[in-house]
Amino acid sequence: MQTTVGVLALQGDVREHVHALENVGARAVPVRRTSELDAVDALVIPGGESTTIDKLLRAFELFEPVRQRLRAGMPAYGSCAGMILLADRVIGGIEGQQTLGGIDVTVRRNAFGRQVDSFESDLSVDGVEGPLHAVFIRAPWVEEVGPAASVVGRVEGGPAAGRIVAVRQGPLLASSFHPEVTGDTRVHRLFVEIVRES
Ligand code: GLN
């Protein structure tokens, strides 16, 4: 049976994720309501603005349903703002900002600072063969990793060398960067493999 992956379509670069998922052979559908969430095997949470996505999740009455699916083991991949939403803890959030949680990490929003607000860098990610060209746009980094989560990618050069930018916990994967904007589908392929295994 073909794997159906939802892309949370409240805000952010939804179309790019849909294309990347289709390119690696998954069926990709936008998710804006609970009936659509119920029909997917897994969920991608795109980049955008985590504070806005958080508010819209609650406005669309999706916050609790998504959280429950995550708790029940639904695989999910979050890029950038999506990584913030999948993190158990966030530093630098706005007043009242909540995350869906699931990955035992603390992320820092807009972590790279003004000078390196947006940048590109080659790095490697466990489970992806060869170097990956990573695009960071006002990205978070992972400041602290709890025992349940694993680091799968770090910045490899420049002023932010060593910073953790990709993590995994079971069927949950998150990256600070945006693989959906480069036309390189290897991270989506890795995620779809994780979905099929689980
Ligand atoms: N800075 C954004 C946030 O805090 C994330 C940026 C992005 O997703 N490109 O949500």
Side-chain angles (χ1 to χ4, degrees):
M1 216 185 66
Q2 201 181 19
T3 309
T4 303
V5 181
V7 179
L8 188 66
L10 302 177
Q11 191 243 4
D13 50 356
V14 176
R15 212 175 316 162
E16 292 82 351
H17 280 290
V18 167
H19 286 155
L21 289 163
E22 285 172 343
N23 278 336
V24 299
R27 201 169 91 86
V29 295
V31 168
R32 278 189 208 88
R33 52 186 84 213
T34 49
S35 58
E36 292 163 342
L37 177 68
D38 293 344
V40 300
D41 302 310
L43 188 67
V44 169
I45 305 176
E49 179 50 58
S50 59
T51 55
T52 305
I53 299 175
D54 169 33
K55 285 185 190 139
L56 291 173
L57 274 168
R58 288 186 264 171
F60 281 66
E61 292 176 355
L62 269 171
F63 192 92
E64 277 309 320
V66 174
R67 184 137 69 174
Q68 274 163 28
R69 284 289 308 269
L70 292 170
R71 289 218 180 110
M74 174 180 68
Y77 166 55
S79 67
C80 204
M83 173 193 250
I84 297 170
L85 280 150
L86 287 177
D88 282 346
R89 299 165 296 276
V90 55
I91 298 171
I94 63 165
E95 181 81 30
Q97 181 171 1
Q98 289 180 33
T99 70
L100 295 159
I103 306 185
D104 183 14
V105 293
T106 306
V107 292
R108 180 179 288 279
R109 279 183 73 218
N110 304 328
F112 290 91
R114 218 159 271 185
Q115 257 135 54
V116 283
D117 219 12
S118 296
F119 67 103
E120 304 188 8
S121 171
D122 286 346
L123 50 84
S124 58
V125 169
D126 291 0
V128 174
E129 211 174 305
L132 204 103
H133 190 67
V135 175
F136 296 86
I137 305 163
R138 291 178 56 73
W141 68 41
V142 176
E143 186 122 338
E144 180 242 354
V145 181
S150 336
V151 176
V152 294
R154 291 178 188 268
V155 178
E156 287 172 11
R163 289 294 178 183
I164 299 163
V165 291
V167 288
R168 181 165 170 192
Q169 180 169 332
L172 304 178
L173 179 70
S175 68
S176 305
F177 52 89
H178 292 265
E180 71 282 6
V181 302
T182 59
D184 180 340
T185 54
R186 287 175 295 162
V187 172
H188 291 82
R189 188 177 303 279
L190 170 65
F191 178 57
V192 170
E193 278 165 19
I194 291 170
V195 178
R196 290 191 177 133
E197 280 162 16
S198 53

